[in-house]
Amino acid sequence: MHHHKYRLIIPFLLPAALLYGVFVVWPYAQAIYVSLTSWRGVSANRPFVGLDNYQRLWEDDRFLEALSRNGQLLIVLPLVTIAIALTFAALFTQGGQAIRGAAFYRIVFFFPQIIPAVIVGILWSYVYTPNIGLLNGILGGVGLDGLKRSWLTDPTTVLWAIVAVAIWSSVGFYMVIFIASMQSIPTSFYEAAVLDGATRWSSFKDITLPLIWESIRTSVIYLAIAALDFFILVIVVSGGSTTMGATRAEVAALYLYNQAFDKNRWGYASAIGVVLLLLTLLLSVIIMRATRRETYQF
Amino acid sequence: MSAQAIQPIEEILPTTRREGIQGWTGGSDRAFSTVAQLMLAFWAFVVIFPFVWMIVTSVKTDPEILSSPWKLPAAIQWDNFERAWTQARIGRFFLNTLLVLAGSLTGTLLVSAMAAYVLARFEFPGRQVLFYAFIAGLMFPVFLALVPLYFLVRDLHLLGTYQGLILVYIAYSLPFTIFFLTAFFKTLPNELGEAAILDGASQYQIFFQVMLPLAKPGLIAMGIFNFLGQWNQFLLPLVLMPDENRYLLSQGLYFLAVQQGYQNDYGALFAAMMITMIPTLIVYVLFQRRLESGLTAGALKG
Amino acid sequence: MDEARIHGLIDDARSGCYSRREILKRGAALGLSAPAMAALVMGVVPVKALAQGAENPLGVDPAAPLDVVIFKGGFGDEYAINVNENLYGKLYPNAKITYAGIQRLGEQLQPRFVAGEPPDVIDNSGAGNLDNASLVAEGQLADLADLMAAPAYDTEGKTFAESLAPGSQDTGVYNGTQYLLNWALTVYGVWYNDAFMKERGYTYPKTWDEMMTLSEEIKGSGVAPWVTTGVHPQYVRQFVFDQMLWKHDPQALVNIDNLEADAWKAPAVADVLEALYMLTDKGYFLQGWEGLDHTQSQNEWLQGKAVFIPVGTWLENEMKGSIPPGFEMVVAPTPSLPGDKIPFEGILASAGEPFIVPAQGKNVQGGKEWLRLLFSKEGGRFFSENTKSLSVVQGSAEGLELGTAFASAQAALQAAGENTFIGRYQDWYKDLADEAKAQMASMLQKQASIEEFQDAVQEMADTVKDDESIPKYQREL
């Protein structure tokens, strides 16, 4: 069998390696080279500037500010999304007869996930708009006029208004993943816990959480990467990459985008991209380490 | 209730609970049920209401949208849909999207499955390096590659073609799909393959006739996952599909929204969003169980 | 009948290449009927055909394909399609025209520039366009000198340059070379509904004090005096702040353009900011203005929820589906501050909507010829009728009756005479304009004081000045 091995390995790997090498690795390798130039992106002229772009980045307050917004997202996005998704997943798997309409809710909760991000973004931009928007309308309708505001330009709310959209659309996805994990836990564990007089909360904490820890961990990494890459929703919800809302919710990837497409600083933008890439890799390793736990087998 | 909703999962999962557990201590079932129902109803409202509002808005006139956003329309404005269909050409974009996705999904699954199978089940030098090289692609921000990618695609004479976009979609779907399927193939029992070899089957036969069918749940999961991802894809077509006749849906809608800033036709914009959503909604409700069980399989093995 | 050949013949006739006899002979050779030829010689054929100066002065290859990309924004793109179909397409029927009317040109065109395959002529305007300064710096744009010197298409006896509004093409000159051609003559000011003003017995205030008094009265009647878009605060930054600053002290705005030391801390800047601050301090803006985008704010204004709104002359065309009957939109200059150096009539105006011809295009001369045809009386007239906006072609809007907005913009320009101006820093230094825009929003939302505005914007001006990678420009008053 061994001498036949490579007759399979090579043709099986080749298409993937070729496509990946040509369309993914090669463009990124070029991007890394571009980060060492002062390319304006409108001609083939790419003056080499060494590490200048990286040095400037280090002193660029606006970049650091954008990065600090990513830092906030990094905490809020995984925490809130996972908390909500876990709650619903637990209700659907352990709620038993107490949860009426579970099938309906599950269809509904997942629904935002299948809507193209562009529609989600456009829809929410009209939800948040001050005078004809849905949100202010509801607040006014229930007598909470004091809470009405211009959600997408108010510097205290804009970032979170957009993050809320991200959470809104992804809760369903993580909920389904957690449900699957929870369902693989044998029922007998809970039955034993019930006999021992456990409450819903204590069995969730002591049985469910540890047993689905791997799923949570994977989810945390996904959401962390999403928090670093965050920007398409900012553009679509706020109405454009250079609107006041986008400026006040400027995250690192958006800053990159504007430096490239709006300011024609492709070299600098590529340097931002490379830094983001390194941060993502670093962060993934840190989360992997930090969340390492004994894996429970059953 | 919940047991009925998740039945297909049994195909994959050996131990599925059929009923909720009863007899918890602490807190009455009634109080728990009320709180739970309230939370669920609240979230359902938050999800559904914007869509309902969108439906109503899509059949209103612009003055109605602007001056009385809360009222129902005096008369239903079907011509919003007509404008969206003819001027915004949503139908055309829909077809383009389906065309690209048909190619890219098949390609993604086939190419990834072959690579993942080899990575999971054969020892050879450089295997780990290759695996991690693929995984690293998960971390790359796509827009960083946009401009070099454009030149590449153009130099290959694939710019503005369905084939070009299909190949790029496949390439950018590989990292996660290979990552996932590798894990999946690792969990498949060895014995089957070995038995097949004893029967004189070639490695190719083993892959296509034994392993691929076994990996069906994983392939379905990845099919769904990639469908969602590629369906949502926005930046790649924006740059690689400059031909307006071949715009994909997300791209077409984005331009419609941008144009809205200049042409001031809210009704048609909402109608276009509706036209995009309704088929998606129908497909989703019909295939919801398969979709969930597919993702579920993904969650467990990944 | 081959229309291009007839056109060629007509052109020849106009340019005096041939005697009447020769024309008749050549016409007969083309198979023209006697009446047609008579019309030709007698000059009864349409004005557009007869008025041309010379046949193909730019040496266009009549069969070369032409690639046209237009920003389809507030002006739409029918005026460009008109050139394709009725001007260029008729003169050069063998030229295949590829056409696209799009938004956000940068994302779509930038790769084509890098690849050396740009379109032949581009209306490089709108949000997300290509940065013209970068294109110039990289040598990507064709020198338009031969076009400027060519005979105008249908303004007899004048060169192309002479047929355009004086000064309108100055901003398209970089270091002595004409690279950009500005198409639309835009007037920026404060708009109101004249019918409403008359009904209430109000007149547009000429001084800021009067504006404050009137605003108080309007507010008291339950209507918001002002609205502007908070999503795009560059509207108030440019149309109101720049305009008032220039009229208060023109040199102060020039100093800002020239990145002079402490230009943003000048007393004139503070005077204008204090005036603007009153709008927010006294609650004269429509509630929620800070979250409205441009069309939303304009819709609120059209519905009579606010009286004054700063916009440019594209307003009417942009909102054409939503204008209530009886609404009479007119534009006026910003009110005067005490000690203004420019009279009230002075108004912010510029030629905008810049067109470019990429140097690496396949059909550079064709691109220029397309522009020569667009920037004609016929092209300008079509544009004005279609969009109710002014083009830079002199005399192209004569005699057009296009409603109150168009008339008021024309009248405002007339009244301003020499006193028109435009700040340049938003074209030259995007970072600076961005900071001013963001700080303007903060100040008008009371999140920044006037001093904080000045400090922050000045700091950015200094950063831009010290950044050697940003090309610098200078202007004089």
Side-chain angles (χ1 to χ4, degrees):
Chain A
M1 166 179 171
H2 267 265
H3 54 282
H4 290 307
K5 202 166 74 172
Y6 289 98
R7 296 218 324 244
L8 181 81
I9 290 176
I10 291 169
F12 266 43
L13 275 178
L14 206 62
L18 210 64
L19 280 171
Y20 187 69
V22 171
F23 289 108
V24 182
V25 176
W26 176 235
Y28 280 106
Q30 284 201 312
I32 291 172
Y33 174 74
V34 168
S35 77
L36 304 173
T37 71
S38 62
W39 191 42
R40 279 186 225 266
V42 292
S43 78
N45 177 26
R46 298 176 173 183
F48 187 82
V49 295
L51 293 173
D52 273 15
N53 287 326
Y54 291 92
Q55 200 177 344
R56 289 178 64 141
L57 207 50
W58 187 243
E59 294 154 7
D60 185 343
D61 291 343
R62 200 160 159 188
F63 171 68
L64 298 176
E65 196 185 337
L67 213 51
S68 78
R69 291 200 184 92
N70 287 99
Q72 298 172 49
L73 289 193
L74 210 51
I75 297 166
V76 174
L77 192 63
L79 211 65
V80 178
T81 310
I82 290 177
I84 299 176
L86 267 181
T87 308
F88 291 144
L91 284 183
F92 290 137
T93 49
Q94 285 154 48
Q97 308 300 331
I99 308 304
R100 252 171 255 125
F104 166 77
Y105 285 129
R106 285 176 56 174
I107 291 185
V108 168
F109 290 3
F110 192 77
F111 187 51
Q113 183 67 33
I114 60 161
I115 303 298
V118 174
I119 292 194
V120 169
I122 298 171
L123 179 60
W124 278 87
S125 72
Y126 287 100
V127 169
Y128 285 132
T129 199
N131 294 3
I132 57 165
L134 188 64
L135 184 53
N136 277 352
I138 291 176
L139 289 175
V142 298
L144 290 170
D145 291 85
L147 290 177
K148 280 189 184 177
R149 60 192 66 230
S150 295
W151 300 95
L152 292 176
T153 45
D154 189 324
T156 56
T157 58
V158 55
L159 183 63
W160 305 114
I162 298 169
V163 170
V165 180
I167 294 170
W168 176 83
S169 64
S170 54
V171 156
F173 179 80
Y174 292 98
M175 177 191 82
V176 168
I177 285 181
F178 294 147
I179 287 177
S181 290
M182 289 179 189
Q183 276 169 342
S184 68
I185 303 170
T187 320
S188 52
F189 285 29
Y190 295 100
E191 282 159 0
V194 168
L195 290 180
D196 287 350
T199 62
R200 281 194 171 86
W201 168 246
S202 68
S203 68
F204 175 76
K205 187 163 63 76
D206 298 332
I207 302 173
T208 314
L209 268 190
L211 289 178
I212 65 160
W213 189 247
E214 272 305 303
S215 293
I216 295 179
R217 198 175 161 205
T218 317
S219 304
V220 169
I221 293 173
Y222 276 12
L223 286 162
I225 293 176
L228 276 184
D229 273 359
F230 200 74
F231 98 112
I232 289 184
L233 274 181
V234 179
I235 292 188
V236 187
V237 176
S238 73
S241 58
T242 54
T243 54
M244 206 57 228
T247 306
R248 284 172 170 169
E250 192 170 69
V251 282
L254 180 63
Y255 187 60
L256 181 164
Y257 182 87
N258 278 336
Q259 286 294 316
F261 284 103
D262 190 44
K263 306 273 162 51
N264 285 70
R265 295 188 190 118
W266 281 87
Y268 195 55
S270 299
I272 298 173
V274 172
V275 169
L276 279 184
L277 179 62
L278 293 177
L279 282 178
T280 314
L281 292 171
L282 187 71
L283 192 74
S284 308
V285 172
I286 292 175
I287 296 174
M288 292 287 237
R289 290 268 156 92
T291 56
R292 187 169 289 168
R293 273 202 193 182
E294 247 175 89
T295 312
Y296 294 79
Q297 295 292 336
F298 48 85
Chain B
M1 284 300 245
S2 67
Q4 281 163 10
I6 46 94
Q7 236 143 32
I9 288 163
E10 288 170 46
E11 293 167 17
I12 312 141
L13 300 173
T15 46
T16 301
R17 203 167 36 264
R18 303 200 141 268
E19 283 160 26
I21 295 95
Q22 304 296 318
W24 298 101
T25 354
S28 74
D29 263 14
R30 204 196 170 103
F32 170 77
S33 168
T34 312
V35 172
Q37 289 289 348
L38 273 177
M39 288 197 305
L40 293 170
F42 172 76
W43 193 258
F45 174 82
V46 169
V47 169
I48 293 173
F49 202 67
F51 290 116
V52 172
W53 183 62
M54 177 168 140
I55 294 168
V56 174
T57 305
S58 72
V59 291
K60 289 166 84 166
T61 65
D62 272 0
E64 281 174 336
I65 294 170
L66 293 166
S67 55
S68 42
W70 305 110
K71 291 185 189 129
L72 291 172
I76 292 190
Q77 303 293 321
W78 291 118
D79 54 315
N80 287 345
F81 284 79
E82 207 179 298
R83 283 200 308 283
W85 189 260
T86 53
Q87 286 169 23
R89 299 194 299 163
I90 290 301
R92 172 89 220 192
F93 301 156
F94 214 99
L95 210 69
N96 292 342
T97 310
L98 289 184
L99 213 67
V100 169
L101 254 61
S104 62
L105 282 179
T106 320
T108 303
L109 292 181
L110 186 67
V111 173
S112 310
M114 291 185 341
Y117 176 65
V118 170
L119 287 172
R121 302 184 75 95
F122 292 86
E123 273 300 335
F124 58 91
R127 188 179 68 111
Q128 284 287 45
V129 175
L130 204 60
F131 181 72
Y132 283 111
F134 278 122
I135 304 314
L138 279 175
M139 321 266 172
F140 297 169
V142 174
F143 44 91
L144 183 57
L146 278 185
V147 168
L149 189 63
Y150 173 89
F151 295 117
L152 189 73
V153 172
R154 186 188 60 96
D155 292 342
L156 296 171
H157 300 290
L158 291 170
L159 192 69
T161 64
Y162 296 121
Q163 304 92 294
L165 202 56
I166 288 172
L167 288 178
V168 172
Y169 272 19
I170 295 174
Y172 280 83
S173 307
L174 289 177
F176 183 75
T177 317
I178 288 181
F179 168 67
F180 177 90
L181 288 179
T182 303
F184 200 91
F185 278 118
K186 276 187 179 160
T187 64
L188 294 182
N190 260 325
E191 296 76 18
L192 278 169
E194 282 160 11
I197 287 173
L198 290 179
D199 284 350
S202 76
Q203 286 288 356
Y204 284 90
Q205 284 170 323
I206 294 172
F207 175 72
F208 284 105
Q209 289 168 12
V210 180
M211 289 303 172
L212 225 43
L214 277 179
K216 203 172 128 201
L219 290 174
I220 291 176
M222 278 303 93
I224 292 164
F225 187 88
N226 283 311
F227 173 79
L228 293 177
Q230 296 177 2
W231 175 255
N232 271 313
Q233 185 48 256
F234 166 61
L235 281 174
L236 291 174
L238 189 68
V239 174
L240 301 178
M241 267 300 182
D243 180 357
E244 207 180 333
N245 285 317
R246 293 186 178 175
Y247 274 0
L248 301 200
L249 214 47
S250 287
Q251 190 185 9
L253 269 173
Y254 175 66
F255 282 116
L256 195 67
V258 172
Q259 262 177 36
Q260 155 62 26
Y262 303 108
Q263 288 174 349
N264 201 30
D265 187 350
Y266 294 90
L269 176 66
F270 278 89
M273 295 204 284
M274 285 298 300
I275 295 173
T276 314
M277 259 187 39
I278 290 168
T280 324
L281 182 68
I282 293 170
V283 170
Y284 169 60
V285 172
L286 289 179
F287 293 100
Q288 179 260 344
R289 289 184 176 190
R290 278 244 75 93
L291 197 148
E292 277 200 14
S293 61
L295 280 175
T296 302
L300 289 179
K301 314 290 182 192
Chain C
M1 180 46 37
D2 182 348
E3 241 176 305
R5 293 169 76 192
I6 297 177
H7 271 287
L9 193 57
I10 293 164
D11 298 342
D12 292 348
R14 287 310 300 176
S15 60
C17 291
Y18 303 106
S19 69
R20 286 189 174 203
R21 186 183 303 269
E22 276 172 311
I23 290 170
L24 291 175
K25 254 193 334 205
R26 284 166 58 101
L30 282 170
L32 282 185
S33 67
M37 276 195 287
L40 190 74
V41 177
M42 302 301 289
V44 195
V45 288
V47 178
K48 65 164 184 187
L50 273 181
Q52 190 175 356
E55 184 188 1
N56 201 353
L58 294 167
V60 177
D61 174 357
L66 189 73
D67 190 343
V68 183
V69 176
I70 299 296
F71 164 64
K72 189 177 176 181
F75 295 131
D77 64 348
E78 282 169 44
Y79 71 93
I81 294 172
N82 173 58
V83 176
N84 293 342
E85 290 176 355
N86 296 322
L87 288 163
Y88 199 95
K90 290 215 167 126
L91 282 180
Y92 307 100
N94 296 324
K96 183 180 180 292
I97 299 179
T98 313
Y99 174 76
I102 59 175
Q103 293 87 29
R104 302 201 69 84
L105 276 69
E107 286 146 25
Q108 295 165 79
L109 293 186
Q110 186 222 10
R112 295 186 58 184
F113 269 94
V114 186
E117 293 175 353
D120 299 309
V121 59
I122 303 170
D123 168 9
N124 186 24
S125 309
N129 63 343
L130 290 151
D131 180 22
N132 284 316
S134 296
L135 289 171
V136 170
E138 293 290 331
Q140 288 284 3
L141 300 185
D143 179 351
L144 301 177
D146 55 342
L147 171 60
M148 299 304 278
Y153 174 67
D154 57 7
T155 303
E156 242 178 292
K158 285 197 174 172
T159 65
F160 180 78
E162 288 162 356
S163 71
L164 309 178
S168 64
Q169 303 309 326
D170 294 353
T171 58
V173 176
Y174 287 78
N175 299 324
T177 307
Q178 188 85 44
Y179 286 115
L180 273 62
L181 276 188
N182 295 310
W183 170 237
L185 209 52
T186 307
V187 177
Y188 311 89
V190 180
W191 294 73
Y192 56 90
N193 176 3
D194 202 33
F196 170 86
M197 297 283 278
K198 280 184 194 140
E199 180 197 312
R200 291 276 185 105
Y202 300 152
T203 48
Y204 182 76
K206 292 194 170 183
T207 69
W208 194 254
D209 285 343
E210 287 166 23
M211 174 57 90
M212 292 300 101
T213 314
L214 181 60
S215 293
E216 192 60 41
E217 191 177 336
I218 293 171
K219 189 186 174 193
S221 73
V223 180
W226 279 71
V227 69
T228 184
T229 162
V231 169
H232 302 291
Q234 62 266 40
Y235 276 49
V236 65
R237 198 271 300 146
Q238 186 180 13
F239 312 154
V240 183
F241 170 79
D242 276 15
Q243 181 160 185
M244 289 179 72
L245 179 63
W246 160 64
K247 285 160 80 167
H248 197 47
D249 181 4
Q251 189 62 45
L253 186 54
V254 170
N255 289 346
I256 284 175
D257 284 347
N258 287 342
L259 299 176
E260 298 288 342
D262 284 338
W264 288 92
K265 297 192 174 177
V269 173
D271 288 348
V272 174
L273 291 175
E274 273 160 27
L276 283 180
Y277 191 76
M278 283 189 225
L279 289 177
T280 195
D281 200 36
K282 300 189 173 174
Y284 291 159
F285 281 117
L286 178 71
Q287 198 176 10
W289 71 275
E290 65 280 345
L292 301 175
D293 70 15
H294 53 303
T295 40
Q296 286 167 348
S297 68
Q298 289 155 199
N299 270 313
E300 301 271 7
W301 174 74
L302 284 173
Q303 288 168 40
K305 291 184 187 157
V307 177
F308 301 112
I309 185 170
V311 199
T313 33
W314 59 82
L315 174 64
E316 183 173 12
N317 197 53
E318 189 165 76
M319 304 308 290
K320 60 186 168 200
S322 318
I323 303 169
F327 198 98
E328 292 175 12
M329 52 172 76
V330 293
V331 61
T334 51
S336 301
L337 289 173
D340 267 10
K341 296 197 169 110
I342 303 285
F344 164 75
E345 286 76 18
I347 196 159
L348 200 70
S350 73
E353 203 82 359
F355 279 73
I356 52 176
V357 176
Q360 297 188 66
K362 299 264 179 307
N363 189 1
V364 171
Q365 290 312 100
K368 291 176 182 171
E369 176 72 357
W370 194 93
L371 289 178
R372 195 172 73 98
L373 299 174
L374 171 66
F375 285 63
S376 65
K377 278 188 179 170
E378 186 183 340
R381 199 174 174 85
F382 184 97
F383 176 76
S384 292
E385 285 178 326
N386 186 250
T387 65
K388 299 190 178 178
S389 306
L390 286 159
S391 79
V392 295
V393 185
Q394 286 189 300
S396 65
E398 265 166 27
L400 289 178
E401 290 285 342
L402 296 171
T404 54
F406 189 77
S408 75
Q410 269 187 313
L413 273 181
Q414 198 114 39
E418 295 282 285
N419 287 322
T420 63
F421 203 76
I422 192 80
R424 300 300 309 280
Y425 61 99
Q426 71 266 10
D427 300 329
W428 291 346
Y429 313 114
K430 269 188 172 173
D431 298 285
L432 177 57
D434 274 3
E435 184 67 22
K437 167 184 100 173
Q439 292 297 331
M440 180 61 71
S442 296
M443 188 196 85
L444 291 180
Q445 290 165 38
K446 298 190 182 179
Q447 287 144 1
S449 67
I450 291 169
E451 290 73 29
E452 282 163 347
F453 173 101
Q454 289 178 292
D455 290 344
V457 183
Q458 186 57 50
E459 196 186 323
M460 180 53 82
D462 294 338
T463 308
V464 169
K465 193 178 182 179
D466 294 340
D467 188 337
E468 284 164 14
S469 71
I470 301 174
K472 302 298 187 304
Y473 304 92
Q474 287 286 311
R475 74 183 298 185
E476 281 167 26
L477 187 60

